[in-house]
């Protein structure tokens, strides 16, 4: 089957969806958004690839073991929270600081972002594990 | 180390995550999960010691003060339950090493085992009613997977039922929490207790209390909400079953105990009387099931229901004595039920059948197994030197003090019939002439069983040593102000 139009549009649209997902993720603290919806959106971009191409091609494009992605995400979340154990403050106590970065100017860096990164990775991983497992089983 | 009470939750969580990365390396999985359980056991022993020496431990997660953030609270009751969970989990894990088989081990068995412990320990430790819901879900989702893992026909069928029942009860839980939040405006249990005391438990709160009783009754299998349990617990392999029988229903019982002593204790004439009647019915139904079946697993499953009834009856009396009895009984019952399932698992491994009519004379080839089973049967019924005695004694005594003669007689009769149901296994299966099985080596499967039975015998003999801990656990239940002050620090 020749899906030239579909494939070309996908090639243009997937980067936009990916950017929107990243935008949602980083906006999470001040605007609606965050790790969960950002992760779903990123998974949505990959699902679009899966619809247009087949599973094997997409695996070749994005060679990631999604089970490990879930594990990594959980490690991020637990690691960020458990970092507080080292300083003998209650679990999940976060820290933040304002720093002056080149280009971005005054920016707040908050450890909650690392926790959210974990959420993001787990959501991407779980969604794709579900979809690929169902897609592969006959 | 102020995060000590978190370690029994954190250790299995980190282990479960790490185990995801070693999917195919079964040896590493076994080693890592064993080490983690031992650490968890050590942490919970330290926790019990800390609570005993310094009183209730609280931890405001994320450094947010008490009613606003999530608070973890470890009083003596939850510390003891966490310790018992670690002991049961250690035994089930060692049994799993020999019994669970490669196919299951390669599909994240140990990971889900650890996630189940996260849920159970979290549910015992949390001080926030919505957080309790979340830990319930962690526990239940791991139990769905452990129940279905392996994919035999019976497991699939029973998992559908089990999942359906629990999804409905979880939805009811959310609704109940929603109502409670609408009435009181808070989720922290200590704060809830104050608000409910201020409102004097109006009729709306009594309705919410009954709704919580329905929710936790579905999890903990009290009459008439026990219907899912006999089928669902028949399906999974032995170590999973021992874990379920030891831990899952007890979390429901603990939640009833916590909510009915800390939150809804103002209008006992309605809620607690209801709980008392339901407990009686639970005992009767459980006993009927236990004597009706000639199937090893079904007998033990109905024994779980009887024990749940006895414990909730102790809660419904709300006297210091009966609560103490309930705690004594709860702790020993967690250990006894899992050891009973492990023993039944060994018998089924040897004979290849659950049917009591198909074999006999096991004691000729397995004298140790036979006498271990005999000890377990006696402790289950509550024969004095063994572990089940003191709990039932206190409950019966409290029942007589309240003038509830009929209920006391039912509890005593239930002991007799429970004894009959397990002695039926002993006399039909172990005595008689040798038939229906080929002797094969059991070896290491003895290790967890002997470990648990030894502990339970020590528990029965060392009542004087254990009593101060139980008394301290009871004092918090009798006087909620101790709990509230520890959490809110006013």
């Amino acid at each position: 089957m020749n899906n030239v139009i579909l494939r070309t549009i996908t090639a243009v649209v997937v980067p936009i969806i990916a950017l929107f997902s990243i935008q949602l993720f980083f906006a999470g603290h001040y605007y609606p958004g965050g790790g969960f919806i950002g992760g779903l959106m990123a998974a949505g971009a990959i699902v679009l690839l899966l619809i247009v191409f087949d599973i094997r091609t997409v695996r070749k494009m994005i060679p990631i073991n999604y089970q490990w992605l879930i594990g990594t995400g959980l490690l991020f979340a637990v690691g960020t929270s458990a970092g507080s154990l080292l300083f003998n403050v209650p679990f999940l106590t976060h820290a933040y600081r304002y720093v002056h970065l080149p280009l971005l100017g005054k920016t707040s860096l908050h450890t909650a972002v690392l926790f959210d990164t974990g959420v993001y990775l787990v959501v991407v991983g779980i969604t794709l594990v579900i979809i690929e497992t169902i897609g592969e089983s006959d | 180390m102020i995060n000590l009470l978190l370690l029994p939750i954190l250790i299995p969580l980190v282990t479960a995550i790490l185990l995801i990365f070693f999917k195919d390396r079964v040896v590493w999985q076994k080693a890592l999960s064993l080490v983690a359980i031992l650490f968890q056991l050590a942490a919970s022993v330290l926790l019990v010691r800390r609570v005993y020496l310094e009183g209730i431990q609280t931890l405001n997660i994320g450094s947010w003060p008490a009613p606003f953030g999530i608070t973890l609270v470890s009083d003596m009751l939850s510390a003891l339950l966490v310790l018992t969970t670690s002991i049961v989990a250690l035994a089930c894990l060692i049994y799993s090493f020999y019994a669970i088989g490669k196919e299951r081990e390669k599909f994240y068995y140990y990971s889900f085992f650890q996630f189940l412990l996260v849920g159970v320990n979290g549910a015992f430790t949390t001080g926030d009613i919505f957080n309790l819901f979340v830990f319930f879900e962690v526990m239940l989702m791991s139990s769905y997977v452990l129940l279905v893992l392996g994919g035999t026909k019976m497991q699939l069928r029973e998992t559908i039922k089990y999942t359906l029942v629990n999804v409905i009860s979880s939805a009811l839980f959310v609704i109940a929490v929603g109502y409670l939040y609408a009435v009181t405006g808070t989720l922290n249990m200590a704060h809830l207790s104050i608000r409910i005391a201020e409102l004097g438990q109006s009729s709306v709160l009594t309705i919410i209390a009954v709704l919580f009783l329905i929710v936790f009754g579905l999890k903990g299998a009290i009459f008439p909400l026990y219907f899912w349990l006999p089928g669902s617990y028949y399906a999974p392999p032995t170590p999973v079953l021992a874990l379920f029988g030891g831990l899952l229903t007890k979390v429901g019982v603990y939640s009833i105990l916590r909510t009915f002593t800390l939150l809804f204790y103002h209008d006992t004439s309605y809620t607690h009387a209801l709980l008392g009647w339901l407990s009686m019915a639970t005992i009767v139904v459980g006993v009927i099931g236990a004597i009706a079946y000639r199937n090893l697993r079904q007998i033990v499953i109905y024994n779980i229901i009887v024990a749940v009834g006895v414990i909730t009856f102790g809660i419904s009396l709300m006297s210091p004595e009966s609560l103490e009895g309930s705690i004594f009984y709860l702790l020993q019952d967690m250990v006894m039920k899992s050891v009973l399932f492990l023993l039944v698992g060994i018998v089924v491994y040897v004979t290849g059948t659950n049917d009591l009519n198909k074999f006999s004379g096991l004691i000729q080839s397995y004298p140790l197994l036979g006498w271990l089973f005999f000890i377990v049967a006696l402790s289950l019924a509550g024969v004095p030197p063994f572990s089940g005695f003191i709990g039932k004694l206190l409950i019966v005594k409290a029942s007589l003090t309240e003038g509830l003669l009929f209920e006391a007689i039912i509890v005593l009769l239930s002991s007799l019939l429970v004894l009959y149901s397990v002695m039926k296994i002993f006399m039909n299966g172990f005595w008689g002439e040798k038939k229906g099985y080929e002797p094969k080596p059991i070896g290491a499967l003895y290790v967890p069983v002997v470990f648990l039975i030894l502990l339970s015998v020590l528990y029965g003999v060392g009542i004087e040593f254990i009593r101060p801990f139980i008394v301290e656990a009871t004092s918090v239940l009798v006087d909620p102000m101790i709990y509230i002050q520890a959490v809110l620090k006013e």
Side-chain angles (χ1 to χ4, degrees), chain A residues 67 71-72 88-93, chain B residues 2-3 6 17 60 62-63 108:
Chain A
Q67 271 103 346
T72 319
N88 203 28
V89 289
F91 187 74
L92 260 172
T93 304
Chain B
I2 55 173
N3 285 300
L6 190 85
I17 296 168
N60 292 322
S63 306
Y108 303 108

Side-chain angles (χ1 to χ4, degrees), chain B residues 397-419:
Chain B
K397 226 170 118 188
S399 170
L400 290 176
T401 320
E402 300 271 319
L404 300 170
L405 181 64
F406 176 69
E407 279 83 349
I409 290 173
I410 287 198
V411 171
L412 289 174
L413 273 180
S414 81
S415 293
L416 193 65
L417 293 171
V418 160
L419 183 63

Side-chain angles (χ1 to χ4, degrees), chain B residues 221-274:
Chain B
I222 64 176
F223 177 87
L225 307 164
Y226 71 95
F227 55 88
W228 54 272
L229 186 127
S232 301
Y233 278 28
Y234 197 73
T238 303
V240 175
L241 182 56
L243 207 58
F244 283 16
L247 304 179
L248 294 196
T249 51
K250 308 305 182 291
V251 180
V253 172
Y254 164 80
S255 308
I256 293 178
L257 182 54
R258 187 59 88 194
T259 45
F260 277 55
T261 54
L262 182 63
L263 306 181
F264 309 111
Y265 58 92
H266 303 281
D267 186 14
T268 51
S269 64
Y270 188 79
T271 48
H272 290 62
L274 180 67

Side-chain angles (χ1 to χ4, degrees), chain B residues 126-201:
Chain B
T126 187
D128 182 286
I129 198 107
F130 194 76
N131 203 231
L132 179 69
F133 168 77
V134 174
F135 277 120
F136 259 98
E137 288 306 300
V138 172
M139 172 185 92
L140 288 171
M141 287 196 193
S142 338
S143 74
Y144 303 152
V145 179
L146 286 174
L147 190 59
V148 81
L149 196 67
T152 62
K153 201 172 164 188
M154 181 165 60
Q155 281 180 300
L156 292 176
R157 190 184 63 222
E158 295 305 332
T159 307
I160 288 177
K161 288 187 203 164
Y162 179 75
T163 312
L164 201 62
V165 167
N166 279 303
V167 166
I168 290 169
S169 77
S170 297
L172 280 177
F173 196 168
V174 174
I175 292 168
V177 171
Y179 285 159
L180 191 59
Y181 187 66
V183 174
T184 60
T186 181
L187 292 171
N188 181 297
M189 289 201 216
H191 202 213
L192 270 174
S193 180
I194 294 179
R195 290 271 171 95
I196 290 173
E198 281 167 0
L199 294 168
Q201 195 162 348

Side-chain angles (χ1 to χ4, degrees), chain A residues 65 67-75 78 82 84-86 88-94, chain B residues 1-3 6-7 10 13-14 17-18 20-23 59-64 108 115:
Chain A
N65 179 342
Q67 271 103 346
W68 285 38
L69 199 62
I70 298 173
T72 319
L74 287 170
L75 275 185
V78 175
S84 51
L85 261 65
L86 296 177
N88 203 28
V89 289
F91 187 74
L92 260 172
T93 304
H94 287 287
Chain B
M1 173 94 167
I2 55 173
N3 285 300
L6 190 85
L7 287 186
L10 193 61
L13 178 60
V14 172
I17 296 168
L18 290 177
I20 295 175
F21 295 100
F22 307 119
K23 181 172 182 260
L59 176 70
N60 292 322
I61 294 288
S63 306
W64 300 103
Y108 303 108
F115 273 125

Side-chain angles (χ1 to χ4, degrees), chain B residues 58-73:
Chain B
T58 62
L59 176 70
N60 292 322
I61 294 288
S63 306
W64 300 103
F68 308 112
I70 291 170
T71 312
L72 294 185
V73 186

